[in-house]
Amino acid sequence: MKCTCKVQAYLDICCAKGVLSRAYASICTNVKDEGTYLLEFILYHHWIGFNKIYVMDYNSSRPLFNLRMLMPFIKTGLVEYHYDGDPKHHSRERGRLFAEYSQGTAFQRCIDFAHRDHVWMAFIDADEYIILRDYKEDRPNITAFLQNYEKYPGLAVNMRVFGSSGHIKRPDTGTLEAYTKCTPPSAYDNRHIKTIGRLSQVLSIGGNPHEFRYFNAAAAAVNEHGVPIQGPMSLPVSWDKIALHHYVTRSLSEFVFKMQRGPGGSQNRRTMDWFKAYDGNATEVCTEGVDLWRACCANQYASMLGALRRFTKRGGRRVAGGT
C-alpha cells in the first residue's frame, strides 16, 4: 500500500486509518496530565507492533495541548483520543467499586467500543512498558509473540518496578534509557500483573486494574508459561519471555509533580513514603530498556520533542512542567 499522508517524513507510522482500526494488538491506557510521556509511550509500543492505542484522558488540565501533541498519531489512525472530564463518571470516595473510578471506567469503555476490532488489548498505564525478551528478528514483535497464546483468554504479565536511578530532575532522554535501577524478583510489587486480554473472550473489567472477567466464567488468564492466574498477582514472578517495566517514581521532581497532580486512576494518593520505599527497593541494574530505546525511538523522540518545544515557545507556552 502506498502511503501519501503528509506526516510521513515527520512520523514513520503512516498507514490507512481503516487498516489500523483493525489492528491485531492494541493498547488501552488511562491518563491524566501525562504530557510528553505519551510521545515516548506511543513511539515505543508502536515500534514493537501495537498498531492501535486508545488514550483515555481523564480530566487533564491541558486537553487541547494533548490533542495537538497527539494529532500526527491521530491522523494516521494509530491513536484514538478520548477526553472525559465529567465527575459523574468517576467516584471521589475511597473504597468504592473499581468500575466507579476513572481507570475502571476507561478500561470498560475500551472493551465496549473496541472488542470487535482487535484480537488483543493490553490494559496498561503510561508509565508501564511491555518488554519482550524472547524474539528472533531484529526487533521485538508483539504479534508473533501473542499468536502463541491465542487459545487463552488473557496473558498476565508480571511487573518489574523501577526507582529514580538517582535522578533529581527529569532526564533529557526517554524513560527506558534514563531509568536502570530496578527491583529484584523478590520485591513484593513485582507480584502484580497487568493483563493483555483476548477481546473475543473478555466480558468486563474485574475488581481492580489487573484482572478481567471472561465469557467463560471458569476461564483464567495465564502467565507466560501457560500457568493459570487467579487474582491480581502471579507467583513465582516470571520474566523469561515478557515483562512489564513499571516506572512508578521516575525522578524526584517528577514524583512530586504526581503527588501535586493527584490520582489519575484511583484514589490511591502518593506520598514521599512511597517514593522512599520504591527507590530503596530498586537495588539491581536493568539495562535492556536502554538498547531497546536507542534502537527504537531515541532520535525520533528527540526530534519530535524539539519540534513541540519550538511550537509551544512560539505560542507563548512551554511544555508542561512535570510532563
Side-chain angles (χ1 to χ4, degrees):
M1 177 183 66
K2 183 178 181 180
C3 184
T4 59
C5 69
K6 296 180 180 179
V7 297
Q8 175 65 44
Y10 177 60
L11 186 62
D12 189 26
I13 56 170
C14 186
C15 291
K17 186 173 182 179
V19 174
L20 287 176
S21 67
R22 293 284 180 176
Y24 178 82
S26 62
I27 291 175
C28 178
T29 186
N30 182 58
V31 305
K32 181 179 180 180
D33 286 328
E34 293 290 343
T36 55
Y37 295 129
L38 288 173
L39 292 181
E40 52 184 303
F41 178 86
I42 291 167
L43 286 171
Y44 170 76
H45 284 101
H46 177 60
W47 182 72
I48 68 170
F50 285 98
N51 284 326
K52 190 73 173 186
I53 299 174
Y54 296 89
V55 176
M56 312 299 285
D57 187 338
Y58 172 59
N59 207 27
S60 283
S61 60
R62 298 180 63 192
L64 292 180
F65 172 85
N66 291 342
L67 187 61
R68 184 182 301 115
M69 177 181 64
L70 297 176
M71 190 55 66
F73 304 107
I74 294 170
K75 286 182 177 180
T76 66
L78 173 61
V79 166
E80 191 167 308
Y81 177 79
H82 296 261
Y83 180 79
D84 184 2
D86 190 341
K88 293 186 297 183
H89 297 168
H90 311 280
S91 172
R92 293 180 178 271
E93 300 177 16
R94 295 182 63 86
R96 302 295 295 273
L97 295 174
F98 176 60
E100 297 177 288
Y101 294 125
S102 62
Q103 191 174 38
T105 301
F107 283 1
Q108 188 61 53
R109 289 176 67 196
C110 282
I111 294 169
D112 291 343
F113 62 59
H115 69 279
R116 296 177 183 270
D117 293 331
H118 315 292
V119 178
W120 295 95
M121 179 173 282
F123 296 86
I124 61 177
D125 298 331
D127 61 357
E128 297 171 341
Y129 285 71
I130 292 173
I131 306 296
L132 294 177
R133 311 185 72 187
D134 181 27
Y135 59 94
K136 298 177 181 178
E137 304 299 329
D138 61 343
R139 70 168 70 177
N141 186 325
I142 192 65
T143 295
F145 184 82
L146 290 175
Q147 285 173 346
N148 298 313
Y149 296 89
E150 287 189 350
K151 64 181 179 180
Y152 303 111
L155 175 64
V157 183
N158 272 116
M159 291 184 180
R160 186 159 206 175
V161 177
F162 284 67
S164 71
S165 297
H167 293 291
I168 303 300
K169 296 183 179 180
R170 180 177 179 174
D172 291 332
T173 187
T175 296
L176 283 168
E177 185 172 2
Y179 299 98
T180 57
K181 293 298 292 295
C182 57
T183 51
S186 59
Y188 178 83
D189 285 294
N190 292 331
R191 302 178 183 186
H192 283 105
I193 56 96
K194 284 293 183 72
T195 299
I196 307 176
R198 190 156 66 89
L199 287 179
S200 64
Q201 304 301 308
V202 175
L203 175 62
S204 67
I205 58 172
N208 54 64
H210 309 281
E211 57 183 329
F212 293 82
R213 296 188 178 95
Y214 304 103
F215 284 105
N216 179 355
V222 299
N223 73 0
E224 60 181 10
H225 296 297
V227 178
I229 302 300
Q230 298 291 341
M233 297 185 181
S234 174
L235 277 174
V237 171
S238 182
W239 301 313
D240 294 332
K241 301 177 182 179
I242 186 171
L244 186 69
H245 286 191
H246 187 188
Y247 299 93
V248 65
T249 68
R250 293 193 173 102
S251 69
L252 176 60
S253 64
E254 291 166 283
F255 187 82
V256 170
F257 176 81
K258 279 187 176 183
M259 289 196 300
Q260 296 170 342
R261 179 193 71 186
S266 70
Q267 295 305 106
N268 292 324
R269 294 196 173 274
R270 302 169 178 87
T271 67
M272 282 307 300
D273 287 339
W274 276 36
F275 180 87
K276 292 175 183 177
Y278 285 121
D279 213 37
N281 285 334
T283 58
E284 296 194 356
V285 176
C286 302
T287 60
E288 59 189 333
V290 176
D291 293 334
L292 288 170
W293 180 248
R294 290 175 180 173
C296 150
C297 320
N299 292 335
Q300 191 175 12
Y301 173 68
S303 177
M304 292 182 68
L305 197 58
L308 183 63
R309 285 171 173 164
R310 290 191 295 273
F311 178 85
T312 54
K313 185 177 181 180
R314 288 198 302 271
R317 291 181 177 270
R318 63 185 178 89
V319 176
T323 59

